[in-house]
Amino acid sequence: MDIKNAQLEVDNWIKEHGVRYFNELTNMAQLTEEVGEVARIIARRYGEQSEKESDKEKDLGEELADVVFVVLCLANQTGIDLQDAFDKKMNKKAKRDHDRHHNNEKLK
């Protein structure tokens, strides 16, 4: 599924199952919470912190999907065509960073 269709799917879900979008500040807080859950899994599963038994069943993919869902909500409610914005960002990064990382001694 492309980003444009994902935005439509989220909007349809909100209309069918939700009452309305939470306001932008609430969704920003929600996004922060979801990113924190991703960070917790990464820090404990791949970092140096020990993973608690209660965290071992957490699904990183599900938590990343929660982040994407809230980002799509924010894009919808602020009128952003995220597909267009993403395409522009990738073009910009491709031009700007074409050789940048290949020439970075720290990455060799």
Side-chain angles (χ1 to χ4, degrees):
M1 172 181 307
D2 62 16
I3 297 171
K4 186 177 283 296
N5 284 320
Q7 279 188 256
L8 288 171
E9 187 168 339
V10 166
D11 194 57
N12 287 335
W13 186 91
I14 295 291
K15 290 173 182 170
E16 291 177 22
H17 303 286
V19 175
R20 61 173 173 76
Y21 284 94
F22 294 133
N23 69 41
E24 294 85 354
L25 289 176
T26 299
N27 271 338
M28 188 62 231
Q30 186 82 24
L31 179 59
T32 302
E33 180 182 326
E34 298 299 350
V35 169
E37 291 177 20
V38 169
R40 180 183 180 109
I41 292 171
I42 296 287
R44 293 173 186 225
R45 196 164 296 162
Y46 303 101
E48 295 175 343
Q49 288 186 328
S50 18
E51 193 168 24
K52 294 179 180 178
E53 279 301 316
S54 61
D55 289 337
K56 289 184 178 177
E57 297 300 316
K58 302 266 184 190
D59 182 342
L60 179 58
E62 184 177 333
E63 298 305 333
L64 288 168
D66 286 342
V67 169
V68 171
F69 182 86
V70 179
V71 167
L72 293 170
C73 286
L74 284 165
N76 284 349
Q77 68 193 131
T78 57
I80 303 295
D81 178 340
L82 204 51
Q83 183 70 62
D84 181 58
F86 184 78
D87 292 344
K88 286 177 183 173
K89 176 56 71 176
M90 291 307 295
N91 285 332
K92 180 180 178 180
K93 288 179 75 60
K95 289 175 186 167
R96 181 189 69 201
D97 299 334
H98 179 70
D99 293 321
R100 179 175 158 214
H101 299 298
H102 292 286
N103 297 327
N104 183 344
E105 289 299 319
K106 294 184 239 176
L107 297 176
K108 293 184 180 187

